[in-house]
Amino acid sequence: MARTDVAPARRRRRVIRLEQSAPRQQPPRRRRGYTVRFDIGGVTGHLTTNAYPDGKLGELWVHVDGQGTPISGFLASLSTAVSLGLQHGVPLETYVARYAGMRFDPSGPVADPDIGYAHSLPDYVFRRLALDYLDPATCTDLGITPPRSPDRAESAVQNTRWEHLSDKSQADLGHPT
């Protein structure tokens, strides 16, 4: 028989205090960015980026079709963690060095001519970010081959960057959604 006269045990919560070496640089209310649609091994989705006024990457979001799937949750968590890191001063190069080249399913050919084949979703995302936000020398140092024609790559990035608006506003302005 269970005792009912015993007070419930209280858990002691351990508080962890972190020293912040770099304050968070909040992105401005109105941002410049782009959205890229991808299909890797049958998983389709969108990579959306937003940049600071100086052109530096400030946040990213990766959405895959099929809400509630484990891969969707994983990518949402990864996107949030990377965005917070970027806003606290972690260089994009650090993330690219860690995640580009990861190999796990889904993998396969992609329609993006600059990438060709993705070994995993993070591999595609971080190689795409490197090509769009890092200079060609840094990409080469990280083992990522920049596009053969720098003019073509720059014009592609410039043509795809536009202010992040709601889907209705994008449609009204003639932007693809």
Side-chain angles (χ1 to χ4, degrees):
M1 180 182 266
R3 291 184 56 187
T4 58
D5 61 339
V6 178
R10 292 188 178 216
R11 289 185 185 175
R12 293 184 65 161
R13 294 182 187 228
R14 188 171 159 201
V15 177
I16 300 172
R17 299 193 194 284
L18 299 175
E19 296 293 325
Q20 287 191 338
S21 60
R24 183 176 178 190
Q25 182 184 1
Q26 293 277 358
R29 184 172 165 266
R30 208 169 165 90
R31 304 169 182 94
R32 307 262 322 148
Y34 66 89
T35 299
V36 176
R37 182 164 177 75
F38 60 82
D39 182 350
I40 301 168
V43 175
T44 58
H46 296 86
L47 165 64
T48 301
T49 67
N50 290 312
Y52 292 105
D54 64 359
K56 185 176 134 187
L57 181 64
E59 63 185 357
L60 68 121
W61 303 105
V62 182
H63 300 280
V64 294
D65 299 342
Q67 291 294 328
T69 62
I71 196 80
S72 175
F74 163 71
L75 290 171
S77 299
L78 180 65
S79 299
T80 301
V82 170
S83 295
L84 286 171
L86 291 168
Q87 293 168 14
H88 281 280
V90 177
L92 177 59
E93 294 92 329
T94 302
Y95 291 112
V96 172
R98 171 60 71 189
Y99 292 108
M102 290 188 99
R103 294 174 181 261
F104 56 87
D105 285 334
S107 63
V110 294
D112 187 335
D114 296 332
I115 305 291
Y117 188 91
H119 298 285
S120 65
L121 289 166
D123 175 55
Y124 173 77
V125 167
F126 287 96
R127 284 198 290 155
R128 178 75 268 155
L129 293 173
L131 292 172
D132 292 346
Y133 287 97
L134 299 177
D135 61 87
T138 304
C139 288
T140 303
D141 290 345
L142 293 168
I144 297 169
T145 307
R148 293 181 189 195
S149 169
D151 295 335
R152 185 179 74 84
E154 184 59 29
S155 66
V157 170
Q158 292 301 323
N159 289 336
T160 58
R161 291 186 184 187
W162 41 275
E163 292 182 3
H164 185 63
L165 305 170
S166 68
D167 290 343
K168 184 177 186 317
S169 298
Q170 292 172 16
D172 292 344
L173 294 173
H175 292 293
T177 56

